[in-house]
Amino acid sequence: MESMEVDENIPQLYQRTPEDVKAIVKHAKLDERQLTQLTQALYFPSADVESENLRLLELDGHMLEQIRDGQTLHFKGGQNEKVVLCTDERTYDVKGAEISNSLLLVPNLKFAAATSTSPLKSPRTGNANASLERSLNDSTEDELEVPRTLEQRSVLKVFHEYFECREIKPRFRKLGELLQLTRYSGPENEFCIERKLLFSLTQLLDTVQCSRAQFMDGLRQYRAMQLDGHMRVMEYEYEYRTISLMLGLISENSWALDEVEREETISALIGIAPEAVVSGLFDIYTIPSERCPDKFQYQESLVARIVAQNILQPGLRFRNEEFMRTWQEALPEGMTCQLSYLRGLGICDKEGAQPCIRSLSEEQLPTSINDRMRALFKTKQKWTLDEMEPYMECFTTPTLSVSTLLAKHARSLTEGGVRYYVSKH
C-alpha cells in the first residue's frame, strides 16, 4: 500500500510520486528493503517565500545553554562599529563565513528513527529480531512488497554562509567616553551640563558593546554612580577632594580602618557635598568589615590609586624613593602603598641615569593596537611583559594572550637574563 502526503505550501508544479521514488532507488542500485518505509521529497522555495530575515548562527556551549535557559542574546553595534553578540555574561565578535556546501533549512524534517514504522527497523528492538530481519532480506523482490509513504517537505532557505562567533574582551572604551561627557563637579556647575548627553543605566547598557555582567564591572571600574536617574562619573579633582574629606573622618573619630561608619560619614559631609554623591562614593570605595558587623573599611587599592593619580600629574617625573615616600605620607595611617596599585596608571622608567616614576594612563592611549604600540614605544624603548600587560589586555581574547600579541607586533631581546620587548620598526 502506498500513500502520499501533500504540503499545501509547495507550489503545484510537478511533484514526486511513490513510483518515482522506486525508480530512483532502482537506478541508484539500492536495495529498497534496506531503507525505511518513509521517503521525504524536498522542494525548493518559491519566489514568494519570505526568508531573507533568516541567518545561520554558530553557537558555542555557553550560548546554547543561555538559550535553553530562556535567556536572550543581544546584537549590539552603532553605525560605525563592528557588531558584537552578547549573552548575560560574555561578549562575542561576529563575522560572516562561507560554507563549502549548501545547507538546507527544512522545517518538520524527520530523522532516521522517525521514518520507520517497522519494529524490525526500530532502534528500540535492538537485535531481538535479527534472525527475522535476515530472513526478510533473503526474500526475493517478488515475495515481499515494501509499503512506502511519500511526504513532501518545503525547503525554507538555502544557506551559503553563516555567522561565526569568537569570544572577546568587553569594549568598555565607549562607556568611559560617554560618561566623561558629563563629569560631575558639584551642584554649582550642573548648569554647564548638556542634558541631552546624560544617559540612564538602561540607555548605556543598550549602547555599550558588552554583556550585562561585564557592563556592571565596567561601571565599577569607572567608579560611576547614579544621580537623578542618570549614570555619572566624578570630575577627578572633585572626587579626590570629597574622598579626602571622607578619609579625614577616620582620624577625627579615632576609627580603626575596619570600623568606618556609613551613616556618620554621610551626615558629617551634609552641606559640603550632596548626600547622593557621598553615599555613592562610599559604596564604591568601601567593603563591609569582616571583624565588625554593620561597619565598613575602605579598599586600600582604590584609595591608593586616587592618591597616586593626584601626585602623578601629566608631564611630571619623580625619583622612585621620592614618589613612594610622598605617596605613603598621603595615605591614611595603616594603609600601605604598593607599585602594583599603579597598574595602568603609571610606569617605572629605568632607562635614564636616574630611575623614575611617571604617569601613563591606559584610558588615554589609542584604541588601535598599532597606534597604541607606537605610543608605548615612544614613551619607553624597552618593556617587560609584566609592564606591557595592563596596556595590552584590552586586545586579548580567551585564545589570544598578551605574549602572542607582542610576538606579532614587537621584537624581543634578552639582556641580563631578562626578556624585553622593543619596537618592531
Side-chain angles (χ1 to χ4, degrees), residues 44 56 97-105 157-162:
F44 286 92
L56 195 61
E98 292 186 353
I99 303 173
S100 57
N101 297 315
S102 299
L103 290 182
L104 310 183
L105 177 60
K157 185 168 183 176
V158 181
F159 292 99
H160 300 287
E161 64 177 10
Y162 70 101

Side-chain angles (χ1 to χ4, degrees), residues 18-36:
E19 290 73 22
D20 294 330
V21 175
K22 290 181 177 294
I24 293 172
V25 170
K26 186 175 182 180
H27 288 310
K29 298 182 178 179
L30 298 175
D31 187 347
E32 191 173 357
R33 292 169 297 180
Q34 298 296 322
L35 306 177
T36 59

Side-chain angles (χ1 to χ4, degrees), residues 76-77 81 86 171-182 196-212 214-216 218-219 222 224-226 229-233:
K76 294 184 179 182
E81 295 175 328
C86 300
R171 295 172 178 171
F172 286 146
R173 179 59 65 94
K174 188 173 184 179
L175 175 60
E177 291 173 347
L178 292 175
L179 291 172
Q180 287 294 322
L181 294 175
T182 57
K196 65 180 180 180
L197 297 178
L198 294 171
F199 299 96
S200 66
L201 185 145
T202 302
Q203 288 173 321
L204 287 174
L205 178 59
D206 291 341
T207 303
V208 179
Q209 292 185 306
C210 61
S211 70
R212 184 178 185 87
Q214 293 167 335
F215 175 78
M216 300 309 293
L219 290 179
Y222 286 108
M225 68 182 71
Q226 187 164 316
H230 302 105
M231 301 307 300
R232 306 288 294 275
V233 293

